[in-house]
Amino acid sequence: MGQFRQISTFVEVVAKGSLSAAARAEGIAPAVIGRRLDALEQRLGVKLLQRTTRKLALTDEGAAFLEDCQRILGELEDAETAVAERSARATGHLLISAPAGFGRQHVAPLLPSFLAEHRDVTATLNLNDRVVDLIGEGVDVAIRIASMSDSNLVSAKLADNRRVVVATPAYLKRHGKPLALDDLAQHNCLAISSDGSQRGWTFRENGKNVTRKVNGNMACNDGAVLHAWVLADKGLAWRSMWEVGGDIEAGRLCSVLDEYSAPGNDIYAVFAQRRHLPLRIRAFVDFLRRSYAQPDYWRAPHSPG
């Protein structure tokens, strides 16, 4: 920092024509300017200026050094200007990770509009259902559907989400509508399964979250398959509103046991750091949040991207 200040002082003195004028411009005493020039000449081992009480004159070494200093300071100013412009305009490549089903319906269809708004940004969208290592895999932002209250990750909430039990009107007409959690035992419950055993469904009962074991004749580790099965009248399914909201609005599905709905796993954007977050990440997160906050967004049909 001291060396840079000495160089900038040298250039300023030459531009102003005197130590006192340079000192007035900086708001310091002329003696401070003189000490900086003395230190610079001593460090370089050459005389840069011939100084008298009336005028300054560059030595041959000083003239050559001045030209280099002016070029360096100009390049530094250009670099600072470029950085400032980049910080005011989203630029660069954005690597996004999202759950496969959610990403197909609610990230991929929105990405072209985001890139149309930010033409200096490019993006790669990776869809998978595993928890990615943001730093290790170089991911800029990951979309996660989970409870983040106890997480150490840096996150920004994008939207509320809740899970509901759904079935088609035709299925409910044939098998009846469950009115209490115990009624689930009388129904074919289509559940997520990754190891051959069905996962329980979580509800809110008597002020507490409870997980109920459910049974059915089909299970799958892919949510899109469960969605297709429930639309085909095969049973009840416990699905997120981001997946079935449009079906409920259109009357293709009905939600049941709504009074037992537990607090949902909300939708978050997760990133590795909060400070100095690149504008492309902030812009993308804000774009998703605005999109999801639009009236009736979650009740509208969304085709996979």
Side-chain angles (χ1 to χ4, degrees), residues 67-80:
E67 185 177 343
D68 288 337
C69 289
Q70 290 173 330
R71 175 181 52 79
I72 291 169
L73 292 176
E75 290 174 352
L76 178 61
E77 183 178 354
D78 292 342
E80 290 179 341

Side-chain angles (χ1 to χ4, degrees), residues 29 33 113 136 142 146 207 303:
I33 298 293
S113 296
S303 299

Side-chain angles (χ1 to χ4, degrees), residues 15-284:
K16 297 294 185 182
S18 70
L19 274 67
S20 57
R24 284 194 300 271
E26 196 170 336
I28 58 177
V32 176
I33 298 293
R35 286 195 294 271
R36 290 179 187 171
L37 291 177
D38 289 341
L40 177 62
E41 290 177 334
Q42 184 177 1
R43 181 166 57 85
L44 296 176
V46 297
K47 194 71 174 176
L48 300 174
L49 290 167
Q50 297 291 348
R51 288 177 270 170
T52 69
T53 56
R54 294 187 177 182
K55 67 176 183 178
L56 295 174
L58 284 167
T59 65
D60 290 341
E61 293 83 355
F65 187 62
L66 175 64
E67 185 177 343
D68 288 337
C69 289
Q70 290 173 330
R71 175 181 52 79
I72 291 169
L73 292 176
E75 290 174 352
L76 178 61
E77 183 178 354
D78 292 342
E80 290 179 341
T81 300
V83 169
E85 288 178 350
R86 284 175 63 88
S87 67
R89 185 181 71 251
T91 61
H93 190 71
L94 191 62
L95 179 55
I96 309 158
S97 174
F102 183 87
R104 279 192 293 267
Q105 291 192 45
H106 300 290
V107 181
L110 297 175
L111 194 54
S113 296
F114 170 76
L115 296 179
E117 288 186 12
H118 302 277
R119 297 187 179 278
D120 294 321
V121 176
T122 58
T124 297
L125 175 61
N126 288 341
L127 301 181
N128 57 72
D129 292 320
R130 64 181 177 84
V131 178
V132 299
D133 176 1
L134 273 73
I135 297 176
E137 299 179 44
V139 174
D140 292 303
V141 57
I143 309 302
R144 293 188 180 168
I145 303 172
S147 174
M148 304 295 293
S149 58
D150 297 326
S151 174
N152 293 323
L153 295 169
V154 180
S155 61
K157 186 175 178 179
L158 298 177
D160 294 327
N161 178 55
R162 65 187 180 95
R163 288 177 174 171
V164 293
V165 179
V166 293
T168 60
Y171 174 88
L172 295 175
K173 184 176 181 180
R174 288 198 306 269
H175 301 279
K177 180 179 179 180
L179 301 177
L181 298 185
D182 289 342
D183 295 342
L184 291 173
Q186 310 303 318
H187 286 269
N188 194 40
C189 296
L190 310 169
I192 286 284
S193 173
S194 57
D195 58 2
S197 61
Q198 292 190 355
R199 300 176 188 173
W201 295 357
T202 301
F203 299 95
R204 191 76 174 171
E205 187 177 31
N206 298 324
K208 297 180 180 179
N209 284 1
V210 297
T211 299
R212 287 295 185 101
K213 181 71 174 179
V214 295
N215 293 290
N217 65 357
M218 293 190 295
C220 184
N221 66 344
D222 186 275
V225 171
L226 290 182
H227 189 197
W229 283 347
V230 74
L231 285 172
D233 310 324
K234 303 305 181 183
L236 301 176
W238 185 53
R239 308 307 300 152
S240 288
M241 280 297 294
W242 65 257
E243 182 182 11
V244 299
D247 295 313
I248 294 172
E249 183 70 12
R252 291 185 293 270
L253 294 175
C254 301
S255 63
V256 297
L257 301 172
D258 290 344
E259 61 272 30
Y260 296 99
S261 292
N265 288 337
D266 295 325
I267 302 162
Y268 290 87
V270 180
F271 26 86
Q273 63 180 13
R274 188 181 301 278
R275 294 187 61 191
H276 308 303
L277 199 64
L279 181 56
R280 62 181 176 274
I281 299 178
R282 288 187 278 121
F284 182 65

